[in-house]
Amino acid sequence: MNIPFFSFEKMNHEIKTEITTAFEAFFDSGWYVLGERVRAFEEAYALYNKVNYAVGLSNGLDALHLALKALGVGPGDEVIVPSNTYIATVLAVSYTGATPVFTEPRPDTYNIDPARIEACITSKTRAIIPVHLYGQSCEMDTIMDIAARHNLFVVEDNAQSQGASFKGRLTGTWGDINATSFYPGKNLGALGDAGAVTTNRQEWAEKITILRNYGSRQKYYNETIGHNMRLDECQAAFLSVKLKYLTKWNQSRVEIAEWYRAGLQHAGNIILPGCHPEAGHVYHQFVIRTEDRDKLQQFLNGHGIGTLIHYPVPPHLQEAYASLGYRKGDFPVAEEIAGTCLSLPVWPGMTEGDVQNVCSKISLFYHG
Ligand SMILES: *Cc1c(COP(=O)(O)O)cnc(C)c1O
């Protein structure tokens, strides 16, 4: 039995009729950029998150970039980011001209370690970007306290965690401006590239609305050097359909994670992902760690089970950031995770039998 790392099949089957209807209405409307579908999705996404504003954008990277830009982050500033994040978080900082400053994650939750943040704060620090990695919220109450004490902005990177929570409050609602991605494989995914920011402050929502559309509030009048970073009407239409299923699909991911936890308890020399007791985890990924990672991955691949490594090279060791001058050993926790982590298949609609099959193959690898 082949088990792909990810599959849209079950989800797509559920929504095919609604998506087709939404596409036809979009097509017949004759209006393809910044219209009623983007407005309707922004309203629905703000309502879902219980925030005042959501602004639809081209993708998650652009959302992070515009969030920082709207907050006035620029050259000479420093922005604190986790040392084990996806490269997009770091690129967004670079786009503004600011310098990314890495801080280590906790090895159990893989999320930014609040106890290490203050040591990274200098007179140049302007913002912290907590990344809710793999679907689990960072410890947002502590992070918000640190930011308030040092007068810093917080931009949550909520790309992997739509619907996750901390102490009952949704991720993407704590920070000043929060960014998310609707890349197809995210928990809420479009059928192409898309993203958004969420915020409670009208001034920032307005700023980003202008920045995404050539720096223009009124057609052909430009008040700032903006971008073309708009959310497409058709992606907005698809996202409005898929948003209705987010809670159900997240529940499916949580159930899959519970099956993995039960099935992997005695499967071998592996470390299961830690879940903070106050975090409502939505399992964008189920990431185990093992010294035998590469061999285990090969073994599973040989048995038709797809896995991925999120991520094999931490940002500070990427060629793109050679100019920052970091070396191997500078961020040992991030490097350890990169060298040992393995993401197992998680996709809504995966059955208990699928999960048991993965677990029994892992057990076979260790116990023969
Ligand atoms: C996917 C992702 C992004 C970037 O989103 P895109 O829509 O692909 O640009 C940013 N941060 C994290 C943590 C992500 O997983």
Side-chain angles (χ1 to χ4, degrees):
M1 186 163 60
N2 271 19
I3 300 174
F5 177 70
F6 190 77
S7 168
F8 289 108
E9 201 182 320
K10 296 267 175 68
M11 286 183 285
N12 281 359
H13 180 76
E14 262 184 281
I15 58 170
K16 188 162 182 174
T17 312
E18 277 178 89
I19 289 286
T20 311
T21 306
F23 174 77
E24 244 173 44
F26 150 78
F27 183 78
D28 291 341
S29 76
W31 190 278
Y32 303 122
V33 170
L34 289 188
E36 66 187 59
R37 285 167 181 80
V38 167
R39 257 194 315 275
F41 173 68
E42 287 173 340
E43 254 173 50
Y45 194 63
L47 193 68
Y48 171 88
N49 285 293
K50 303 191 189 76
V51 292
N52 293 340
Y53 305 96
V55 182
L57 298 167
S58 35
N59 58 62
L61 173 56
D62 290 344
L64 284 162
H65 176 196
L66 290 195
L68 293 169
K69 199 161 168 170
L71 294 170
V73 173
D77 295 336
E78 291 176 357
V79 177
I80 296 174
V81 298
S83 54
N84 62 326
T85 187
Y86 181 56
I87 197 70
T89 319
V90 191
L91 293 176
V93 175
S94 301
Y95 289 172
T96 67
T99 303
V101 173
F102 299 108
T103 187
E104 291 268 61
R106 289 173 48 152
D108 53 350
T109 63
Y110 310 124
N111 270 332
I112 194 166
D113 186 345
R116 292 179 184 250
I117 292 176
E118 278 186 302
C120 302
I121 297 174
T122 73
S123 59
K124 294 177 177 172
T125 310
R126 291 293 303 281
I128 307 170
I129 309 185
V131 181
H132 309 302
L133 206 64
Y134 309 145
Q136 174 166 211
S137 175
C138 299
E139 293 156 74
M140 286 313 297
D141 52 351
T142 315
I143 294 169
M144 294 310 295
D145 284 348
I146 295 168
R149 247 193 335 271
H150 296 270
N151 206 13
L152 306 176
F153 291 119
V154 171
V155 173
E156 290 171 70
D157 182 338
N158 200 33
Q160 304 191 357
S161 293
Q162 296 98 357
S165 62
F166 192 76
K167 296 194 169 172
R169 178 167 164 188
L170 286 174
T171 56
T173 71
W174 295 74
D176 294 288
I177 308 178
N178 308 301
T180 196
S181 162
F182 306 121
Y183 181 80
K186 308 286 170 150
N187 286 33
L188 177 59
L191 305 179
D193 279 310
V197 293
T198 49
T199 181
N200 283 315
R201 178 98 66 104
Q202 184 187 6
E203 174 200 342
W204 289 329
E206 211 172 280
K207 228 173 187 167
I208 290 173
T209 305
I210 293 165
L211 281 171
R212 78 171 170 189
N213 193 30
Y214 302 116
S216 161
R217 197 186 306 253
Q218 188 188 349
K219 207 170 168 74
Y220 306 131
Y221 292 83
N222 302 84
E223 52 195 85
T224 180
I225 300 175
H227 307 262
N228 179 350
M229 295 182 172
R230 302 175 296 226
L231 172 63
D232 268 333
E233 277 283 287
C234 72
Q235 296 305 340
F238 300 149
L239 282 165
S240 287
V241 171
K242 294 183 85 172
L243 179 59
K244 295 185 290 176
Y245 293 82
L246 176 59
T247 303
K248 182 187 169 190
W249 287 342
N250 277 346
Q251 277 163 1
S252 174
R253 289 174 181 274
V254 169
E255 202 171 25
I256 290 160
E258 281 164 5
W259 292 330
Y260 271 130
R261 285 188 192 284
L264 292 175
Q265 240 172 2
H266 308 291
N269 186 25
I270 56 177
I271 300 168
L272 297 179
C275 185
H276 190 286
E278 301 281 4
H281 202 316
V282 292
Y283 291 96
H284 177 59
Q285 305 295 353
F286 191 88
V287 180
I288 63 169
R289 283 196 293 137
T290 167
E291 295 300 325
D292 314 301
R293 191 264 312 278
D294 293 342
K295 278 186 204 145
L296 176 61
Q297 182 175 39
Q298 260 185 339
F299 179 85
L300 292 174
N301 190 43
H303 284 85
I305 292 167
T307 58
L308 283 178
I309 296 165
H310 297 104
Y311 301 91
V313 182
H316 70 282
L317 297 179
Q318 293 285 357
E319 201 182 330
Y321 283 109
S323 63
L324 293 177
Y326 290 112
R327 268 173 302 176
K328 221 174 161 135
D330 284 346
F331 297 97
V333 182
E335 290 168 30
E336 161 81 14
I337 294 171
T340 56
C341 69
L342 188 66
S343 305
L344 303 180
V346 177
W347 32 273
M350 213 181 152
T351 66
E352 190 168 6
D354 293 332
V355 174
Q356 277 167 355
N357 187 12
V358 177
C359 295
S360 68
K361 291 302 181 316
I362 292 174
S363 188
L364 185 67
F365 172 78
Y366 284 101
H367 304 302

